[in-house]
Structure formats: C-alpha cells, structure tokens
Amino acid sequence: MEPLQLIVDAFALGGVYVLVALGFVLVLNGIGAVNLAHGDLVTLGGFIAIAAASWVPMWPGIVFLPIIALVMAVVGALLAAITPMRRRSDTPEEMSLATFAVGVMLAAALTGLYGTTPISGPPLVGNGQIGLFGAAISRQSVVIILTAVILVPAVHLLLNHTQFGRRLRAAGQDPELARALGIDTRRMAAATFALGTMLAGIAGLLLADRFTISPTFGLDLLVKSYVAVAIAGWGQVGAAAGVALAIALFETAVSTVAAPAIADAVVYVVLLVLLAFQPQGMFGPAAQRRA
Amino acid sequence: MVNAVRSAPERPFLVAVPPAVAVAALLFYTASNAHGVRLATLAGIYALLVIGYQFVFGRLGALSLAQGAFFGLGAFVTARLGLADLPFLITFPAAIALPALVAALVVGPVLRLQSYYVPLVTLGLAQMLFIAALSSGDIAGVPTIMFLPGLELPRGPAFAIFVWVLAIVGALIAWSLSATHFGRFAEVVRDNPVAAGAVGLDAGRMRLQGFVLSAAYGGGAGALHAHLTGVVSPADFSLPVMIMCLAMATVGGRRHVTGGIVGVVLLNLAVEAAGLSPLYQPIFYGLMVLIALYWLPDGVLGLLERRFAPLSVVVSPAPQAIPARKAARIAGPLLAVRGITRRFGGVIAVDNVSLALHPGEILGMIGPNGSGKTTLLNALSGLSPAQTGRIFLSGRDITNLAPHEVARVGLARSFQTAQLADRLSALDNVAAARAALNGLDFGAIVQRARAETAFARARAEAMACLDIVNLVAAAATPASQLVPADRRRLEIARALALDPLVVAFDEPAAGLDADERDALAALLKQLAARGLGLIVVEHEVAFLRGIATRLACMDAGRLIAIGPPEIVMADPKVAAAYLGAGAVGGGRIK
C-alpha cells in the first residue's frame, strides 16, 4: 500500500479510537465508574449501520450518522436506566459489573445474529479515491478523519462552555454537592451515558465503513480505550484522546511488519510497567474517586 | 451488659444447609437425567471455579475479569502436559500453579493500586491469554483444539465424586479463611479502602493474596474441565466462562463462601432445564447478573440470612487493657516535620512546612479553606506522600511509608468525614485495628483455635478502647447506624487501638453540639495527658483555644505562624489570612 495512504488510514483508525476513548472517559467522569459495555456499544453502532444499509442499499453511509447518533443516544439512556445507579449505596464495582453484563449480552446477541466473521458496513461516500500530493487516497479515510476533527472540539465545547456541560461535570465530580445545588444527578448520569453511547455508535459506524467489524471486537476496543485512559491519567479527557490516537498509529505501524496481536501485547506490557511505576498516568488524575 | 455481636462472618447454618439442599436437588435431577453424571461433574467443577472467584470478588469486592482466563489456562496446561504423557499427579498441580504464578507476577504489582484498575488489568490479561491461545496453534504447530489422549482418571460417577470432594475441600479452606482474620480484614478492605489503611491493613497485599488464591482455584477447575470433556479450545479462555462465573457468584451470594455452590447448582439446573444453547447462555447469565444486582444484591444466601439466621448473640467481651508499646521512645520531639512540600500539578498545596510535636502536646492547626491543612495530614499519614522534605516519628523516617505502615508505626488519624467499615460493628472496626497490628495469620487455616483466641483478645482490647471514648453501649451497632458524633468517637477509638504515639484529627468538632464538643475537648485533653502528641485541624478557633497548647496557622500551603494560642491569634498575618488580605488559598483537596 502507498505510504501516504497508510498514514491517512492510520489517522482514520486513530479518529475512530479517539471517538471511542472520548465516549468512554465521558461516562467514566459522569458516573464515577467504568462502563465495561462501551466496546460492545461501538460494535452495536457498526451493526446498526450494516442493518440499515441492507434495508436501503442505495444510500451512502454518511446519511446514517445522525440516525445512529439518535438511536444510540436512546440506547445509552436505556442503559443508564438499567444499570443500578439509582441507589446511592451502589459501589463503582457494582455499576461496572452491570455494564459488563450488558456488554456480554450485546456481544452474544450480535454473534447470534451475524456470526463472528468480520464484515464491512456501507461506504460513507462511495468507494472512490481522491488525489493528494499525487497519491490516491481513500475518500472513506478522509471523511472519517473529518468527522473526528469536527466531533472532538464539539464535545469539548459542549462540556466546557455550556451550562449543560458544567452541570454534567459537576454531577460526575461531586454528586452530593451537585444534588445539594439542585442538579438532578440521575438525569445527568443518563445524559452522560447517552452522549458517550452516541460517540461509541458513531465510532462503530466509521469503523464498519473503512475497516471491518465483528461482535468479538467489542472487548478489544474496550481494553484499548481503558488503556488510553489509564495511561493518560484517570479522567483526563484530552490526554485520553491523544493516547488513543497514539495507540492507533502505533498499531498500524506494527501491523506493517508483524502480527497485530504483537501491538496489543506491547501496549498491554507498556500499561503494566507504567501502572507499576507511574500509577497516576502520564498526566495525573483529573477525577478523584470519592473515598 | 449483653450485646449482640456478630461472632463470625458466617454461621454454620448458612454454610451447611443451603448448599446441601442445592446438591440434593442436583442429585435428584441428575438421577432422572440421561447425562446426569456429566451434569453433576460440571457443577462440581464450576463450584470450584466460583468458590475461588469469591476470594477476590465476593470477599474483597474487586471486580476481577480474569477468572475465566485462569480456567482456560488450567485447561490448556492440562492438555499440553497430558499430550506429553505426564501423569495427573504432575499435570494437576501444574494447572493450579501456573495461573497462580501468572496472577502473582503479572497482575500482582498492579493490584496494589486503586481498585478501579482491577477490571482493566484483569481484562487485559484475559485478552492477552485469549490471543495467545488463538495463535499458539499457528506458532507451535499444535491444533488449537486438542483432544486429550487416554485419560487415567476414571470417568463416570467416580470422577463426579472426585470432583465434588475437591470442591468441598476447596469450600472448607475458603470458609476457614473467611472465618478467621482474612475474612474480617476483607470486610474492611471491601467496605472502605481508606479505613483499611487507617487500621493498618495492607489492602493491596490482601488483594494480591485473594487474587492468587482465586487463580489457583480457577486453574484447578479448568484442569478438571479438560479431563471431563477431553477438549480444550481458545473458547475456554473467553468471556462466556467469565460471565457464567459472575452470574453464579452474584445469584448464589457474593459474600458467602457457599453462595458459589448454591449459585452454580441453581443456574446449572436452569440452563439444563431450559435447554439453552451455548450461543445464548451468555445472554441468560448476563440477565441473571442484572437481576441479582437489582433484587438480590447479596444473592440467595443473603436473602436466607436475613430471613432465617439473624445475628447471633454473644456476651460482649470484658475490656482488656492494651499492653504498652514496646518501642523505645527517644529523646526529642515525637513528630518532626522538616520542610515537606506536596504539589498537585501546578498547585503547591503544602509548601515547605516544618514543625515539631512533643509528648502531651495538642497542636491546633488553623487556616482558611484550601490552605493545605488536610493535605498536610494526608502527607503525614501517607495518603498523598510529601514530594520533598522528611517526616520523623519518634526518630524514625516515615516520609515514604504507605498509610497502613504509618498507622502501624504509631501515627493514627481521623478524617473529616469518618472513614469506617460500615457493615462491621463498632467493636469489630476497632478490633480489626488491634488484630491488624499482629498481622495476617495464614496458619490460622489449620489452627482455628489459635486464631479465634487471638481475635477474641483483639476484641477485648477493642472494648477497652471503646470504653475510653464512652462507646461501649454501641459496640454491637453496625458503624453505618451510628450518629455522626459517635462515628467520630469510633474513629478515635480505632486510632487508640493502634496504640499510637501521635494522633492527627481532621475537624473533629465539626457538626457537634455544645455538649458533644465539651466531651470531645475533655477526651482530647485526657489523651494528651497520657503522653500522646495530638494534631487537631479545626475551623472552630474557640474550640482549639480551650485545648491547644500551641496553635499553627496555614495559608496558601505555608505555615505562617506557630506558637502559643494568644500570640498566634494576635499575629497580623493570621488576621490577614482570614480576612482575605493575604494570598488567595492554594489547592484544596477534600
């Protein structure tokens, strides 16, 4: 493959990982617990795209983006309703356990419907290529990168420069204080879940378009975004996105010379070493879990 | 006085009867079933898997997601060594030892960290082992699905009995452990990791111990599974085993050893009766986890416990004085703090603070919100260690000790909001600190009587501590049901149980009424009169004036004044700090 195409593809994969990690860290900050269903929500988004494309095969994949965003936001709100966050006594472990159960159920259901062989979704804007510096570049990859480049600052604006975003962060950082200030923390948790799941679904659509998707990918995607968050520093939104991008670039680089599994193994070993020697992550924790 | 005190985490009724009923039901069902023996054998194997998992998940409350992978690893080792014609007496111990080794070496160091890394590290390990199993076929030229050669173990009922004997032995070991120190300490670690540090318990080490044990059980179960089915495939490593294990543990009862057996039998029978295909079993198990979390948070056994086995009643132990600390006390200050600094990112929360504390002294710490008082206490107690400078306790350098080590060498503390193990009785919150000083005793598994005697003594000594803070009447009350003032006092009793040289209090008078404040002031003076050194962080200057021998004022991380109360209060710098004329406060972490 042409080097330039490879680089663009690496950044396209990076764009997907960034969106996955962003949704993951949002939910983490919003509910103070790890959403272990996050990877399976990504694959769910991808399979919704595939299902939609089979109903209306003429439509380009990009048309499904707002539809998937909407459907996945509803899925996220439902997920928030069934994870046991309604009782204040629930520990983060119990919340994570509930999301793990949901994730396994999703993966099993998708496996029942589609099997485990990786498949591709509808092309976003047709399979054409565009010329760039004399090289032919897949239009898909460019659209994925553009989508990520638009969405990431949009999420940043939403969180840091809107009243809704401030309430959301307040509810996640100190639920008791937020409740005292009249913020409905349960509703905020549901909104966080909806937003995070939406991002997961969009990432799934993009992943299915340019690359392939299988129900078994969920776990892998979850571990990657979890690793990105741990390396970046617990709860650091921007740094997590940066590390997710770095993981994608590293993975693509390694897979040109060796099996992709080697890259996964290296990332995991790096994580273990880092946690053993620099447990705060590279950029320190942003979210302090309540004692 | 007679108090209802929980004598042991589990009562014999709950340990024996429900699993016996469950196993009887299983036998009844299997007797009428064509492949009943196989079903019964599987149940025994899963029981071993789940009982092992309870060490880390149920008892310590850590969500490990590697138990399925350890099961797969045990099966894999059995198959590999079995193909090399090694006998069961070698393959079985190897299948137990390798997962335990992996758990200790790969995951162990990381388990000392915050518990939210546990799912990540264990999930990553599971993923790595799964990938390794998938690719091992290509690498070594061995098919990924291996059919075991002739098995030396008998098949049929004899194997079923063998498996169940192992499961029962496994359950007995687990029950012995939970009924001794490990179980009581685990309750503190699970309930409140900060409280664990404060009583001198090394939560990370306990998590490692529980994790290694669970890996050993998981590996053993996997080995037996390989012998039963004769097939080992990468699927054995994957999530279906993990979610099944979680469902069985939560449905049966996470906090009870035999909950594993009950959950295994119930779910096994349900899956069998419904004839669920393996493809859809994970959905069923996931649903069971959610249902259990919602309606049966403590599982079937938790329900039975509330219904049929209320707390056992024992006479509260007679108070027994704590033997005096043997450590030689050197001349000079009890506590010497030399130029410590603690930063959070760009914020300097504690900036080059030095102070000394002498026996019998009460040092009051004042300062505006965010001036670094709590951070200073956190640095002293090892919760967020100082980055520069040194801290000496009776001449010993404690700068870089972990919270549980600081507690053990004699610097105890209380917290702004009391950090207690809420499910434990007031007495056991204190007794845990006494027992922790003596360390964890794994010999107790075989010598129950010795462990019981040791814990009974810890309780008697804990009663003496409760007596000092006037909380004997509430000895049997779970910490969660105490009013805030009593929770404060319980923290003080717990601190005293550590036989400390220095006690640091973080806003002990906040939220107390006038009478309670007077009682607290009298208690603090009484402690100082015994020769302890006290540091009292407090907003109420009036409260401190009555008791403090010296006052210290912090502002923006720096110590701006220290000395006799009237002089510090008259210091213009102190007034400026409070009126906001001085620098704006630094980072505040609580």
Side-chain angles (χ1 to χ4, degrees):
Chain A
M1 202 188 288
E2 297 217 17
L4 190 61
Q5 172 69 64
L6 195 69
I7 292 167
V8 172
D9 272 353
F11 275 94
L13 187 66
V16 173
Y17 282 9
V18 166
L19 289 178
V20 178
L22 206 57
F24 180 77
V25 74
L26 271 182
V27 175
L28 171 74
N29 286 348
I31 66 169
V34 173
N35 174 16
L36 294 173
H38 195 70
D40 299 302
L41 292 169
V42 177
T43 53
L44 178 66
F47 280 103
I48 291 177
I50 287 168
S54 68
W55 295 325
V56 280
M58 289 300 107
W59 294 10
I62 197 80
V63 176
F64 301 126
L65 194 142
I67 302 172
I68 285 178
L70 196 69
V71 171
M72 292 302 284
V74 174
V75 170
L78 284 176
L79 190 60
I82 61 167
T83 48
M85 291 184 301
R86 52 182 189 178
R87 298 181 299 256
R88 281 185 212 176
S89 59
D90 285 317
T91 63
E93 282 76 20
E94 282 164 341
M95 289 193 239
S96 294
L97 175 55
T99 57
F100 181 73
V102 169
V104 171
M105 290 162 73
L106 269 179
L110 288 174
T111 305
L113 288 171
Y114 291 95
T116 54
T117 313
I119 49 178
S120 278
L124 284 174
V125 285
N127 269 326
Q129 312 228 306
I130 53 172
L132 189 70
F133 305 122
I137 302 298
S138 153
R139 267 157 56 179
Q140 304 291 321
S141 301
V142 176
V143 172
I144 291 174
I145 295 172
L146 283 178
T147 312
V149 165
I150 293 167
L151 280 177
V152 172
V155 171
H156 177 81
L157 281 177
L158 179 71
L159 284 180
N160 293 293
H161 298 280
T162 66
Q163 189 63 20
F164 171 75
R166 280 189 280 267
R167 284 169 166 266
L168 202 78
R169 287 186 298 139
Q173 274 162 21
D174 195 336
E176 267 167 51
L177 188 65
R179 269 193 290 270
L181 293 172
I183 296 174
D184 184 344
T185 51
R186 270 184 56 199
R187 189 181 286 179
M188 283 297 134
T192 316
F193 248 113
L195 191 60
T197 308
M198 196 177 89
L199 288 171
I202 293 172
L205 167 77
L206 302 180
L207 190 68
D209 286 331
R210 176 64 184 127
F211 307 93
T212 56
I213 202 150
S214 149
T216 58
F217 286 6
L219 187 61
D220 190 45
L221 288 163
L222 167 69
V223 171
K224 276 182 187 129
S225 37
Y226 207 153
V227 167
V229 168
I231 290 181
W234 205 246
Q236 293 279 5
V237 179
V243 176
L245 178 62
I247 290 177
L249 299 185
F250 174 75
E251 204 177 281
T252 313
V254 169
S255 61
T256 57
V257 291
I262 305 283
D264 289 343
V266 171
V267 168
Y268 183 63
V269 171
V270 167
L271 169 82
L272 287 182
V273 172
L274 184 86
L275 287 184
F277 294 101
Q278 175 82 20
Q280 304 286 303
M282 302 294 281
F283 303 95
Q288 290 273 356
R289 214 179 78 170
R290 280 182 305 152
Chain B
M1 189 188 311
V2 173
N3 276 309
V5 176
R6 255 176 101 161
S7 64
E10 294 189 47
R11 276 154 296 294
F13 165 81
L14 275 174
V15 173
V17 177
V21 171
V23 171
L26 178 72
L27 286 177
F28 183 75
Y29 183 85
T30 53
S32 62
N33 194 299
H35 53 281
V37 176
R38 186 189 152 89
L39 191 66
T41 317
L42 261 184
I45 290 169
Y46 293 153
L48 210 50
L49 177 77
V50 178
I51 290 167
Y53 186 55
Q54 300 287 50
F55 282 118
V56 63
F57 173 65
R59 301 230 75 87
L60 291 164
L63 182 57
S64 158
L65 297 172
Q67 190 69 356
F70 292 137
F71 181 84
L73 192 57
F76 208 68
V77 169
T78 304
R80 274 291 167 89
L81 298 183
L83 283 173
D85 286 331
L86 289 169
F88 178 79
L89 280 178
I90 291 176
T91 62
F92 193 58
I96 290 172
L98 190 69
L101 197 68
V102 169
L105 294 184
V106 179
V107 191
V110 181
L111 283 178
R112 294 179 168 271
L113 302 173
Q114 303 267 23
S115 61
Y116 47 62
Y117 287 118
V118 174
L120 166 62
V121 172
T122 51
L123 202 57
L125 176 68
Q127 186 76 338
M128 290 302 120
L129 287 175
F130 180 57
I131 292 171
L134 271 182
S135 49
S136 71
D138 316 333
I139 296 166
V142 182
T144 44
I145 295 180
M146 292 184 280
F147 292 89
L148 292 182
L151 199 64
E152 67 199 281
L153 295 176
R155 285 181 186 268
F159 188 57
I161 291 168
F162 175 66
V163 165
W164 272 99
V165 167
L166 285 178
I168 288 167
V169 169
L172 282 175
I173 292 175
W175 180 66
S176 286
L177 263 178
S178 76
T180 54
H181 291 28
F182 185 86
R184 278 143 187 162
F185 291 165
E187 298 246 347
V188 183
V189 170
R190 184 183 57 207
D191 258 20
N192 189 336
V194 177
V199 299
L201 283 176
D202 187 347
R205 198 174 137 201
M206 288 194 62
R207 240 180 254 143
L208 172 60
Q209 288 163 338
F211 195 60
V212 168
L213 273 172
S214 74
Y217 276 63
L224 295 173
H225 190 256
H227 282 293
L228 176 70
T229 60
V231 182
V232 176
S233 81
D236 290 334
F237 288 83
S238 56
L239 287 182
V241 179
M242 192 62 242
I243 191 71
M244 177 189 77
C245 179
L246 275 167
M248 289 166 171
T250 42
V251 168
R254 280 178 280 170
R255 299 175 208 285
H256 298 84
V257 170
T258 49
I261 295 178
V262 173
V264 162
V265 171
L266 281 179
L267 293 194
N268 249 343
L269 289 182
V271 165
E272 189 61 27
L276 266 181
S277 94
L279 192 60
Y280 293 104
Q281 279 174 18
I283 298 181
F284 169 74
Y285 289 130
L287 205 59
M288 285 296 119
V289 168
L290 290 178
I291 288 174
L293 275 177
Y294 257 128
W295 289 292
L296 279 178
D298 286 331
V300 174
L301 277 190
L303 190 74
L304 291 175
E305 182 178 57
R306 276 201 300 281
R307 264 275 157 86
F308 301 112
L311 301 181
S312 55
V313 176
V314 297
V315 179
S316 65
Q320 184 180 342
I322 295 175
R325 185 176 277 269
K326 291 195 182 68
R329 193 170 287 175
I330 62 148
L334 270 185
L335 180 72
V337 177
R338 296 201 191 134
I340 62 167
T341 295
R342 172 76 213 190
R343 295 163 196 274
F344 294 100
V347 181
I348 307 179
V350 170
D351 188 358
N352 195 23
V353 168
S354 298
L355 54 85
L357 185 72
H358 299 274
E361 201 177 27
I362 300 181
L363 176 66
M365 296 282 298
I366 58 171
N369 276 338
S371 58
K373 304 183 298 291
T374 296
T375 310
L376 177 66
L377 291 200
N378 286 344
L380 294 182
S381 58
L383 272 177
S384 58
Q387 286 143 333
T388 55
R390 306 233 71 84
I391 304 163
F392 296 92
L393 182 70
S394 191
R396 176 178 180 170
D397 188 345
I398 62 163
T399 317
N400 293 316
L401 296 188
H404 68 275
E405 292 166 325
V406 174
R408 285 184 189 192
V409 299
L411 196 159
R413 70 169 287 183
S414 76
F415 296 85
Q416 233 166 340
T417 40
Q419 300 289 337
L420 299 162
D422 281 338
R423 281 169 172 267
L424 287 188
S425 67
L427 179 64
D428 276 357
N429 263 285
V430 182
R434 272 321 289 165
L437 272 184
N438 300 324
L440 236 177
D441 187 2
F442 272 99
I445 304 172
V446 281
Q447 287 180 286
R448 289 286 306 286
R450 190 158 57 88
E452 282 305 316
T453 314
F455 205 78
R457 214 183 100 192
R459 278 199 169 134
E461 291 167 350
M463 282 304 274
C465 299
L466 288 179
D467 194 25
I468 294 171
V469 300
N470 204 9
L471 211 55
V472 167
T477 313
S480 58
Q481 290 171 19
L482 295 176
V483 299
D486 285 348
R487 287 172 68 86
R488 290 261 163 74
R489 286 201 285 193
L490 183 53
E491 272 201 321
I492 297 174
R494 181 180 68 191
L496 295 179
L498 292 165
D499 188 19
L501 300 168
V502 172
V503 187
F505 297 89
D506 198 352
E507 301 195 9
L512 301 191
D513 65 30
D515 288 346
E516 288 168 339
R517 271 175 204 217
D518 290 346
L520 179 67
L523 176 60
L524 295 185
K525 280 186 190 166
Q526 184 196 337
L527 297 181
R530 293 167 162 227
L532 269 63
L534 306 185
I535 297 180
V536 184
V537 167
E538 190 51 72
H539 275 292
E540 283 294 326
V541 179
F543 175 77
L544 285 181
R545 263 188 179 155
I547 58 168
T549 42
R550 278 192 302 157
L551 271 188
C553 181
M554 286 187 77
D555 185 36
R558 281 189 297 276
L559 198 63
I560 56 169
I562 184 164
E566 57 279 12
I567 293 179
V568 169
M569 291 315 296
D571 192 323
K573 279 185 300 200
V574 174
Y578 270 95
L579 294 174
V584 177
R588 179 174 163 82
I589 68 150
K590 264 266 162 154

